[in-house]
Amino acid sequence: MEFNSRLGLSGGVGGLVLLTGLLAHVPAHAQTTPTAGQCEQYSDLFDYGIIGESGFNYGNNSEINENEIDGSGNTPTPIGQVDTVDLQFPPLSPVSFPSSQTGGADLSNATNIAPGSYGIISTNKQKGATPFVSFSGGGTYYIEELVFDGRDSEAQLGPGDYFIERLDLDNNSYINIVPQGRVRLFVRDYIIGDNNIFVNSSGPVGDMLVYLYDNAYIDLGNYNEGGASNTVINFNGLIYSPFASTSVTLGNNNNYQGAILTPGTVNVGNNTSFNYSPEVQDELIDAVGCSPQASIHHLRIRHPQSIVSCYSAVVEVLACADASCSQLYTDSVAVDLTAGASGPTWQGGDLISSSGANATLNFTNGSGVAGLQWVSGGTATLSATGSSPAPAAATQCVDSSGTVATDCTVDFNTAGLIVAAADGQSTIPPSFAAVDFTTTLRAVRTNTTTGACEARLSGSQVVELALECTNPTQCQAGQSYTVNGSPIVLNDAGAALSYSSLTLNFDSSGSAQLTNNYTDVGLLRMTARINLAGTPSSNPAVNDPSQTLTGTSLNDYVVKPHTLVVQALDSGGQPATATTSSGSGYTAAGEAFSAVVRSFNANGQVTPNFGNEVTPLGVSASFDSVAYPLPSHPNADASKLVIDSPFLPSSTLEGAYVSSNVVWNEAGTVNLRAALPSDSYLGGGDAFVRPPSAIGRFYPAYFSLLTGSVTNSCVAGNFSYMGDTAALLDATLEARSVDGFRLYNYGEYYTGTAELTSVARNTPADVATDNFATRWQATLPTAWVDGQLLIASTDATLQKRSDLVPDGPFNTLEIGLQIVNEIDGRDFQAAQKTLTTWSGDAVPLSSQLNMVYGRLALDNTYGPETANLPVILRAEYWNGELFTTQATDQCTSYAPAELAIVDYIDPITTTAGGAPGTLIDGTVGTSPLYWTIPTGSPLQGEFRFELDVPSFLEYPWQDPDGTTYTNPRAFGGFGEYRGNVRKTTEQDLTQ
């Protein structure tokens, strides 16, 4: 019992008109996500249902749709025969897991969890608690880990999106969807589970969609009671990934209903049963947003409500694929029409046959048109008497705007007014906001014999004009429509019309030209009327009656955006000005921001009705180019632009469609270009101009140290002398986006790239008086290349104190890096800056330096005049109390040429001898230095000499008379050794 209970012509279609064989109609199609191309790829994948393109492995007695799985390859086709396919996998959206969004409170056995960011959410059976969590749904969750701790744990997921890094399931775990609706799980790392796991077991298969990111995997155990004959479903839904690094593994006896689609691997155990019926396939195709429109929901007849009978009425039939007609049935359609009377006739367009008031239209792509004529006048009643395919619902009629339901009648008047194109005959073509365009108002009557339009009046006439906003259905305050420079009253659709009067001069054909200008956008209808007084007839006693001529524009006509741009929004929801090499940056690369597609008229003013259309437009934005830096890196291309939410009408900004989830994953400023659906505004064609729109500057989210180390200048001895500018500092840094992508644009042509300095700290900690801030020195490069800074400094050192007083040794000198200057103040992540120094926190490099205060010292040397006199040289370092031999010095070199006699105590002739060498264990090695046997006379005598040493091994020595010098000195003598007191009077200034 417990087990069973647990398993318990919308406004997007422009004004389309026809005049005697002249056709112009562009049906609207709702923008869908995924794209049409991606839906084709999904369709190919769903033809198979189970695909492990890198490998499909199955156990004994496994079946699909009750067909035994047999053969080798990467997919068990729905009939069981294993085949090999090579297909395309559409990308995930978003393309990368939003790891920066996870993290927050940890919850245990919580209920009705609201959308938001969380740490670990767990069930817990301790102390008899019910291991249960529930989520309210209705939004997006970001979760580090969902853990089922204890048997019989259950999670109830409300419909929504769940970004989960890790999902860990215990034995007998249940995931159910409450209330019913679609749940999408986006998994960064894994879903792992023990035995008897049940996911969406009793819900619709299309309600559970699992998406795996790069290197993610699923590994679930056995169903202990399962098998091919068992009908309990363990996993019911879709598992999908476009990454070849992913894998899906199921244990024995599992019953899986749905699809598994991955370019990675799929492994299932013995007695696995797949249910992938045609019904399951259709439901999953629909679940990913690619549901095919396979039938006609209803026919929609679009028509004018009245027209002068010397013109043809345009009748358009739309094959609507849904109740709102937001999508059209695009396969071939045959529709039988009737005008319901004996007088009207059909002609032109998509007509294939007609007989009086009856006609048949054949069309594809969702709509067909024909012209209806009735020269003698009358009222035609339109209806569809037959259709192939047959629609599911009754036929509807709408006016020429496509937004207002009508009674399906068309009044053909033998006299009246018509507003037409400049030629007086054609439909009014689309124009642009705030750009003059010409129309002709005609006062005509029909010659019922010839069917021709004849002038009804001429000369100066007072005309009343009204302008109606039919889509959008409300005119906006502050906008103007002028005719010949005079303002015309704007009327909302369906409202009682208000008119404006102006005097026009009609020519002999009954025509008057109108110069129109509308500052806003939309689908418009002009209505005109003229009141004619009674006039004498041929019988003077009887006058012709007074008459009012009325009529409308031959079609509802479109005024389009003049300029369509993309703008980024700041934190206040207002357009943000782009910057390049100077000024404030916009936001971090990879940070989601809001952007709008916005419409302007020719005067540069916003057109506020853009975004108020009866059916929202499927506007879009796409990558055009990089505006900065130039030249940009080849990697800075369209792939770096991610728009994860559609553009919808803005509730706060006029004339705008907004997307709240736009990402640019590169540094610099990007040009985006706006687009209308099918490059057409309400069926009227494209905007006059859609220029590249600069967005940004996007700066690094942070800098990351990839590798970094320091190396002592004396590698063999594992130490460095203070002041020896030869320690090595190597590092590689990267400028990164929010999601950790390398920013290739951050380089040579990007102004204000990060400048770094290095800082030092000793352990135990140095003190302020050690003055490391000025003593530590290293030359660091400033040239970033392709988003990286490569540091290979060879002159790093800790200088000696300025007063040359010995200090140290600093045996564990740690080195770190700091950002000292960057145009947008970008830095390392705070969590990386773990090295605390007197110069501030820094990112530490690996390894440490052993920095010692060093000097070279000479001992006095005496010997017989018959042999070379050895030079006694050693390296010393300050050990914190006194100088002692630096026994690990294997690096310091010496040479005879560096020896020189300072002065002679006794006249003697000798020269420095030996060969160049390197210290061994801190003293002269196998290449000794010496003074040669004296020549000439005398052969006995004494002298003082010194060794020219590198500056970092100099020392402030002082002789007995107070003279200071920096190179080490000593006395040498040939002949009788006198126990010279000079050795005891040589001073070390530091001791």
Side-chain angles (χ1 to χ4, degrees), residues 94 96-102 141-142 163 165 186 188 213 739:
S96 58
F97 188 92
S99 297
S100 61
Q101 298 287 89
T102 60
Y141 294 83
Y142 302 94
F163 288 90
E165 293 182 4
F186 296 86
R188 190 190 74 173
Y213 281 93
D739 290 326

Side-chain angles (χ1 to χ4, degrees), residues 2-77:
E2 178 184 1
F3 180 79
N4 291 334
S5 66
R6 279 298 188 91
L7 294 180
L9 198 30
S10 73
V13 181
L16 310 181
V17 293
L18 165 70
L19 177 66
T20 315
L22 190 63
L23 303 179
H25 59 96
V26 182
H29 298 269
Q31 187 181 33
T32 60
T33 301
T35 66
Q38 290 170 343
C39 280
E40 289 181 7
Q41 294 172 346
Y42 275 125
S43 179
D44 291 341
L45 294 169
F46 281 119
D47 282 343
Y48 295 91
I50 309 296
I51 299 176
E53 204 162 74
S54 297
F56 171 72
N57 302 293
Y58 59 95
N60 298 325
N61 303 317
S62 293
E63 61 181 31
I64 182 169
N65 298 337
E66 299 183 354
N67 299 309
E68 182 181 355
I69 299 175
D70 183 55
S72 61
N74 58 21
T75 172
T77 61

